[in-house]
Amino acid sequence: MAADIHPRDPMRIIRILFFFLAALLVWAGPLSSGALASAQRDYTSGWNEFQRLIKDQKQSRQRTAWLAVRNMFNSAYQKDPGGPEAPKALFYLGRVHEEMGIRLGQRSDFTQAADYYGRVASRFPTHTWADDALLRKARIHLDHLEDSAQAYIDLLAIVHNHPKGDMLPQAQTLL
């Protein structure tokens, strides 16, 4: 086949490259939309299970139940880390760890929750939940991790980076 391509026939080379590029796009297109749909399903399943678990007093004291929900949100994020569900999945990863910290009393869960909330704000700074994530992070640092300096930094980030956000009044009050 290489003998058919003459070095002085650039149009033939361009047509062949165009063909391969088009074939690649056709092949990759369904995968990305499939990943998006799968991420949406995982996020929705995680959200539904999170809501159910919040209301179930007995099961909400079991770490394994929370870890199963965490895995759903993690799967949603991993399948489409730049997609529309990604910031919400990270936010709910924080919520899951925050709830585990509250219900199961492990400091490491609060640390993990603060980390996830920070990821929402840093990776998706223009998302409408970024200021919500920063406020939750600040409250965790104040109420559970005894780190008022970090809470102050998070609250200032809301004031400076989200002056029109719905969390601004609460951040100003906490400051």
Side-chain angles (χ1 to χ4, degrees), residues 6-22:
H6 193 275
R8 294 189 188 140
D9 189 6
M11 288 308 292
R12 181 166 171 83
I13 294 171
I14 291 171
R15 283 193 301 269
I16 291 171
L17 288 174
F18 179 77
F19 170 77
F20 283 116
L21 180 60

Side-chain angles (χ1 to χ4, degrees), residues 84-97:
E85 307 302 335
K88 297 186 290 184
L90 282 177
F91 183 87
Y92 270 97
L93 281 163
R95 287 282 288 123
V96 166
H97 280 279

Side-chain angles (χ1 to χ4, degrees), residues 42-117:
D42 288 351
Y43 172 78
T44 301
S45 296
W47 189 86
N48 288 332
E49 188 61 17
F50 179 87
Q51 297 302 321
R52 186 196 67 71
L53 197 53
I54 288 285
K55 297 172 188 167
D56 187 332
Q57 292 297 319
K58 184 177 179 184
Q59 227 184 359
S60 67
R61 290 188 301 262
Q62 298 176 9
R63 180 167 287 277
T64 55
W66 288 108
L67 293 177
V69 175
R70 182 197 64 184
N71 291 342
M72 291 176 202
F73 288 122
N74 189 52
S75 177
Y77 179 75
Q78 294 297 324
K79 287 178 180 175
D80 196 8
E85 307 302 335
K88 297 186 290 184
L90 282 177
F91 183 87
Y92 270 97
L93 281 163
R95 287 282 288 123
V96 166
H97 280 279
E98 185 178 356
E99 288 298 327
M100 284 196 296
I102 292 167
R103 294 164 193 270
L104 305 174
Q106 290 189 11
R107 181 180 173 91
S108 61
D109 288 321
F110 289 116
T111 302
Q112 191 67 51
D115 179 61
Y116 280 119
Y117 290 140

